[in-house]
Amino acid sequence: MAGCPTERKARVVFTPSGRRGAFSCGTPLLEAAWRIGVDVASICGGRGLCGRCRVVCSTGSFPKHGIVSSPEHLSPPGAVESRFGERNRPLAPDHRLSCQATIEGDLLIDVPPESQVHRQVVRKAVDSRPIRLDPVVRLHFVDVPPADLEVAGSDLTRLLDALYAQWGLRPTFPAALLTDLQGLLRAGGWSVTVAVHQDAEVLAVWPGFKASIYGLAIDVGSTTIAAHLCDLGSGDVLCSNGMMNPQIRFGEDLMSRVSYAMMHPEGSSELTREVRRAVNELVASTTAEAGVAPEEVISLAFVCNPIMHHLLLGISPVELGGAPFALAAQDSVHLPARDLGVEVNPGAVAYALPCIAGHVGADTAGVVLCEQPHRSAAVTLLVDIGTNAEVVLGSDARLLACSSPTGPAFEGAQVSSGQRAAPGAIERVRIDPVTLDTRIRVIGSKLWSDEAGFSEALPAQGVTGICGSGIIEAIVEMWLAGILTSDGVIDGEARRSPRLVRDGRTYSFAIVGDRIMVTQTDVRQIQLAKAALRAGIELLMDRLEVASVDRIRLAGAFGSHIDVRYAMALGMIPDCALDAVSAVGNAAGHGARIALLNKGSRREIESVVKGVEKVETATEPKFQQYFVDAMAIPHGPDDMARRATLFPGRVTRVAHTATQRPSRARRRRSKPGTAPPRASKSR
Amino acid sequence: MAGCPTERKARVVFTPSGRRGAFSCGTPLLEAAWRIGVDVASICGGRGLCGRCRVVCSTGSFPKHGIVSSPEHLSPPGAVESRFGERNRPLAPDHRLSCQATIEGDLLIDVPPESQVHRQVVRKAVDSRPIRLDPVVRLHFVDVPPADLEVAGSDLTRLLDALYAQWGLRPTFPAALLTDLQGLLRAGGWSVTVAVHQDAEVLAVWPGFKASIYGLAIDVGSTTIAAHLCDLGSGDVLCSNGMMNPQIRFGEDLMSRVSYAMMHPEGSSELTREVRRAVNELVASTTAEAGVAPEEVISLAFVCNPIMHHLLLGISPVELGGAPFALAAQDSVHLPARDLGVEVNPGAVAYALPCIAGHVGADTAGVVLCEQPHRSAAVTLLVDIGTNAEVVLGSDARLLACSSPTGPAFEGAQVSSGQRAAPGAIERVRIDPVTLDTRIRVIGSKLWSDEAGFSEALPAQGVTGICGSGIIEAIVEMWLAGILTSDGVIDGEARRSPRLVRDGRTYSFAIVGDRIMVTQTDVRQIQLAKAALRAGIELLMDRLEVASVDRIRLAGAFGSHIDVRYAMALGMIPDCALDAVSAVGNAAGHGARIALLNKGSRREIESVVKGVEKVETATEPKFQQYFVDAMAIPHGPDDMARRATLFPGRVTRVAHTATQRPSRARRRRSKPGTAPPRASKSR
């Protein structure tokens, strides 16, 4: 063979790992790679069936490695590679199956990402780490010796012995799989592909060679349920679908669902049935769209808030409805997917991320896993706003978490013209500080209301109401225009305008005619919500002894819609450089995907969650004080000027009232960046 | 306190273990016992609730131990012991709860059997070892700290922490049990009793204190299914019930059921459904009779032949219907009882003993576990006769097993007047060698047919047929009377008697009028069956290189009915001292009970079965020769005289024919007790 040194071994360098070794001529590349720990994938175990072990041979002189590499230093492609090309797509000209090509001279071999077992799965979010692919379930192709009257041992014994001989695995084999084993072995001509969980347990058996299995990352929210179907071999998301949580008919907010469970003997089971039915609908729709059989789904990862977590697991949520808010289980839960009634492969495994506390769920754990505050020296503030807001604050040194009882105002509930963020909802509001002329933008249209073609571009529903981000912008704009006091009073006397409408002893501000108004009560609701959120944040900052945070991440749908300048102007979140604040979308769902694709991440989040210090706002005396302090718009007197700088060039006409009280917390932390004195603890 | 030494520790000796130690005064007896490894039971963990730790204090001087013991050297009975007596039966005067009584002086303390964790469960069979009680599931009472807003951790965390603190256990907790956990903890006032499997997994949780859990040992035979309900705390059998296997409607013998499974697409599932339904009927009837709730049954152990084993597990038996007779699984099977559709506690665990080979099942493993041939230097022959006969031969040095294709003749099938052993069946036959007068006895009556009152004492059915043991006695008696040749020909010319009835070219012998006859075909069927059995035995003796066996155990219903003298005279079993031959009844079922009550026995039988050498009669060329040789009645010419001695005082008129061939095997082993020469192997 050309280039094969006769007296010395051939030198082979693998990239990108840089691992190198010397091998006798005739050694298959895959064997060589595995021998020195190079990460090359294979499902078929070197039989030229799966094509997962493809590599690229470089041509040329590589002085750094002291070798001259050439594709001619590999055995020429043989029958197995031809057959592989016929059965599948033909191999690219420079690709070889490393299980078939043997070493015949010095080589520089590149293992492309798609041939690596632990490839990096790139996520869409720009600033997020890629996921290292290492799922809990893997496929292994096995040749099993046929049954023979002369040889003792059952079909199972021979399968397990073959798994050990061919893959070094000694997994358990659940009795439930015995039912079909004999038929599958014979249907596959004494070859099967087995799915093995954690190298320890066989979950499923398919006849012959099988190339792909799938998993679902599922985010069970109070309002929506979202599922992401992933290829466990590549990490790719094949399909993402969402749907409304059908439990909504038992109550929009979680507490009404808990009440339902309390009041009806079968209430909790009914709620469990509904959420599981919805999960099954998503299984059906995502697999159908991706052209995958539900039986090919073998692994599931769930994130949920504590109440949805309990309902999904079939646990009554009533204990979470009142003090001491006892979780049945807090740690991560592993269970057979069939125990959740999920119609996927009967052997599929399900995993629910751990809950952090009675009010801070596995969804927040998912956000943490996604955003990794525990891996950075920077102090990160994570805020996930739903019906309540979960807040996580800290760094690699220490993490704190709490739930702030914001109520659903940020979701548009308890607001006179409020509605969920959906097409037709006002999401942007601008008020001319002089004329009080008001421009709006609605979800489903790119145009402002003063732009030509606005009416024509409206979604079919027209303008239906105002969503959380819209009402927040309206309130901040009213404050900037000087028609809202820092106390949150709509000052009807400040200006004469048809938009300022008297309503008994208070005023409302008309956004769209007299149909969509911001009433005094609406302002109060938003004030209460933002004060609750901010008080939670202040409480955690106080505990962590920091006066500022280095970066802020807003998770969830609300975080994606809000303009962070307005959130900051309202005082929802503390001061922070604007470019250090970002919305991270469905970070909880991303966390579920990470847990689905990387088993180490499960241990990571379990360990991080164990170390999170839970702060209970309900019993913390300081919370009440922080709450009262945070009612003002914006947050404390020194905030006002700073907030105004968020809107350069805008005239700020802020009305102060005698009731304005400076924030204690803010006073105390007059030097930003320094920790409050220890003595303050004793107050 | 009287007798309490002030300057030295008190000496305490526990019987029957003989363990001793010195303890500070005030130490509770139970704590002292546990500290030095004395086996004292407790479910409640020393709270005076379960009464399992009762001990007896001896009075007097014990020079051997150098102590004077007195009940006064214990703290006087207090409130807890009084309450225990009020809630349960009062304690016997000399009994104390060792968890309450503290050491106040030297003591000799007897731990009665019922207070030992690993007590010996005495079995009925006289020569069997007692079972050491050590079940896979145990109860543990736990006090759990109530939920507290100030203390982090879920209800589950607190339960598991309490289990560790109070019992040193760190079991897993299946997600399925989470559903009810919170309700149970609160219903039990923050005390629960948990059932823990192998110290490793919680199976069930009950509120408050629970004293007893139960298990079922189940023998699933082709014809009958038997269940024994046992108290897992005491080992006592509370109830045993049996029923016909409802699969009989798909075929009396196993092969017709396999055919049914082959011919019908849902046949195998139907058979599985039937056997599981029957198991559930037995669960219902045994628990109802014993006054136990099915939910209190937490552990099951099964023995079955390979085909019933597969059908019970939901595995199609078709592979067992033809060569190479591949078992799906051979090793023991552990699975949740609910996977078998058994309606007991949802967390209950099931265990099926391992199969020995494709024809030698877990039932034979049960016989081995019961009779322990592997623990004796004596060569034991175990024969379990059902539709086929399973044969195990060997000692602590080596064990061999095979299945002999006897067919169902020994069960009364394929015999003209044959029937199952049931009331009305002839089980005993005596023929006067001179007059050929014939006496019979039937199942259900103690009287011989020539005794007064025979007709009145008959069971309601009257005389319905002849069972396996009856036909064997009839044939041996015919041979003893000289009307049956060693070739098995009914010699109608030997005597003139109305009982010898011509039937074409052959004769029949009339047992009861012309209604119940032994025909020439009947004799042939029995000859074939006994030749198959004997050939299997000879094959194993040949392999083991022994010319005789030291003891013979006949298992199963047939073994219980047969008079071993007749079995030996017919040549079914080899020569052996009569007192070394015994019927062991349902040894397979006993084996299941051992596996249910002692977890070590599971490892024992798994290991023994792995070492058993399986001999395949179908492919063993010698088997055919042994089979032909064993057709003669009795077995070989030198046997005849020996056999006749089994019936001293009886005139033996044996007819020889020219076709009689001496047994090769017998010839070869002319010196009993010596191994055949190696050279014979080459023949």
Side-chain angles (χ1 to χ4, degrees), chain A residues 232-292:
Chain A
L232 294 181
S234 69
D236 296 338
V237 176
L238 304 186
C239 176
S240 291
N241 275 343
M243 66 181 287
M244 297 297 280
N245 186 333
Q247 290 181 341
I248 280 181
R249 69 184 178 88
F250 299 98
E252 285 253 338
D253 64 303
L254 286 170
M255 278 306 145
S256 14
R257 295 182 212 166
V258 174
S259 304
Y260 185 87
M262 281 175 178
M263 312 296 275
H264 298 79
E266 291 296 313
S268 179
S269 317
E270 234 178 305
L271 288 161
T272 293
R273 206 159 44 236
E274 284 295 302
V275 66
R276 293 181 175 179
R277 189 171 59 74
V279 168
N280 274 324
E281 274 185 38
L282 285 172
V283 169
S285 73
T286 51
T287 52
E289 269 185 49
V292 162

Side-chain angles (χ1 to χ4, degrees), chain B residues 508-529:
Chain B
S508 295
F509 184 78
I511 306 273
V512 178
D514 56 0
R515 198 160 61 82
I516 299 177
M517 315 274 277
V518 176
T519 69
Q520 184 59 58
T521 312
D522 294 345
V523 177
R524 290 284 177 239
Q525 292 296 341
I526 293 294
Q527 268 184 296
L528 290 168

Side-chain angles (χ1 to χ4, degrees), chain A residues 72-157:
Chain A
E72 296 188 355
H73 295 177
L74 282 171
S75 59
V80 174
E81 278 168 287
S82 307
R83 263 205 310 281
F84 177 81
E86 288 156 22
R87 268 202 311 265
N88 308 276
R89 260 177 303 180
L91 285 169
D94 58 341
H95 279 64
R96 294 295 305 274
L97 297 185
S98 64
C99 64
Q100 299 301 319
T102 60
I103 297 166
E104 308 295 347
D106 290 353
L107 290 160
L108 184 81
I109 297 291
D110 186 52
V111 183
E114 62 272 21
S115 297
Q116 296 167 14
V117 179
H118 300 124
R119 81 191 63 178
Q120 305 280 302
V121 179
V122 178
R123 286 169 45 213
K124 283 177 201 156
V126 183
D127 59 347
S128 300
R129 288 186 320 159
I131 308 170
R132 180 167 177 274
L133 190 66
D134 190 14
V136 289
V137 188
R138 283 191 186 286
L139 289 179
H140 298 281
F141 177 79
V142 204
D143 281 322
V144 182
D148 181 340
L149 195 55
E150 299 300 317
V151 181
S154 62
D155 283 357
L156 176 61
T157 319

Side-chain angles (χ1 to χ4, degrees), chain A residues 441-461:
Chain A
R441 231 175 66 186
V442 302
I443 297 177
S445 167
K446 295 272 179 205
L447 298 178
W448 286 93
S449 57
D450 58 351
E451 290 178 290
F454 171 75
S455 302
E456 294 71 29
L458 278 179
Q461 302 91 330

